[in-house]
Amino acid sequence: MRLVPNVLRGTGALLALQLVARPALAQAAEAVASTGPAASDFQRMLLWFLLGTLALVILLIGLLTATLVVRLRPQLRRLYELPTVRPTWSGRVLGLAVGDATLVRGEVRDELLDHDYDGIHEFDNDLPPWWKYSFYATIVFAIGYLSYFHLTQAGQLQGAEYAAEMQQAALLVSADADDSNKLTTYAALTAAADLSSGKSLFTTNCAPCHGMNGEGKVGPNLTDEYWLHGGEINHVYKTIKFGVQGKGMVAWKGKLSGKQILQVSSYVLSLQGTKPAGAKEPQGEKEAPAKPVAKL
């Protein structure tokens, strides 16, 4: 029986290690939380190491406990068979360790009642304890849920929670030029060099859909006064930069720089009123002509 003291000593050592590891784990978590997003890789590695150590300690304690139960099963069986132990709650818990699942399964009496219908007999058996305990747990949960969300209104229902999350998400949206919901405040470029660069970029990237002269092919005509997504310089800039999802207009963000997009936008506005041959029919809504820009 020297195994039992050794197992107990091993279990005590593991428990002591767990108690020592918990403060260190808490300190590591606080360090990571205090540094915020700029937490160092070393602190993160230390945190994961301590979490892994704690998980390993818990696993070893479970294995040692299972080994101890297996080794002491004959003694536990004799203890369980005592008349003063078996009927008690602790005795039923002990029964699980020795293979008696009465605590979970319940007792089956198989006593027939006097009900007999169409050859069907009814036994007088209680519901399994595991089922009853689960049912009681759902009642407690329902009372807590009703009290928390409906009576005290301490928690948010789905609709309110969704609205709050959307409001928080709106605060995280960038307010700079990369925000597709915010228009820029650029003015159209008028320098000949900028318009020449814009024409070159237009010919390379835009002409396959809009035509060499902006007369429109797959894409709309860019020389008339009608616009699908706005004809002001910043609306044109936004359309080119972010594209139009589901309409064939790709986003040029990341392919062209901000200055190049502004050059193309300015060149597109310089095409206003040029009336090229074979121009496509108007699309969109009519807008007042933009401020004139230099023509090439």
Side-chain angles (χ1 to χ4, degrees), residues 65-114:
T65 302
T67 302
L68 182 63
V69 169
V70 171
R71 293 290 184 179
L72 297 178
R73 197 165 188 174
Q75 291 82 358
L76 295 176
R77 169 66 69 175
R78 288 195 292 269
L79 178 62
Y80 176 66
E81 295 296 338
L82 294 176
T84 57
V85 174
R86 188 166 186 171
T88 63
W89 176 263
S90 59
R92 293 180 180 180
V93 174
L94 181 62
L96 292 176
V98 297
D100 187 353
T102 302
L103 178 63
V104 178
R105 187 187 65 245
E107 296 182 0
V108 180
R109 294 190 297 270
D110 287 341
E111 296 179 1
L112 279 174
L113 297 178
D114 56 355

Side-chain angles (χ1 to χ4, degrees), residues 112-211:
L112 279 174
L113 297 178
D114 56 355
H115 299 165
D116 185 359
Y117 179 78
D118 196 20
I120 300 175
H121 300 281
E122 181 180 355
F123 287 91
D124 185 17
N125 292 324
D126 291 334
L127 289 170
W130 66 265
W131 193 97
K132 291 189 289 187
Y133 299 148
S134 301
F135 180 68
Y136 299 152
T138 60
I139 295 176
V140 172
F141 175 82
I143 294 174
Y145 183 92
L146 181 65
S147 301
Y148 184 77
F149 288 101
H150 293 277
L151 298 181
T152 64
Q153 296 183 348
Q156 293 180 329
L157 295 177
Q158 290 182 347
E161 186 177 14
Y162 174 78
E165 290 179 356
M166 293 299 294
Q167 186 176 7
Q168 292 175 358
L171 298 176
L172 299 176
V173 175
S174 172
D176 56 19
D178 288 331
D179 179 9
S180 60
N181 297 314
K182 180 182 174 68
L183 282 178
T184 53
T185 56
Y186 296 134
L189 302 176
T190 58
D194 290 321
L195 293 177
S196 177
S197 298
K199 179 180 180 179
S200 177
L201 292 167
F202 182 91
T203 302
T204 302
N205 302 297
C206 309
C209 290
H210 294 282

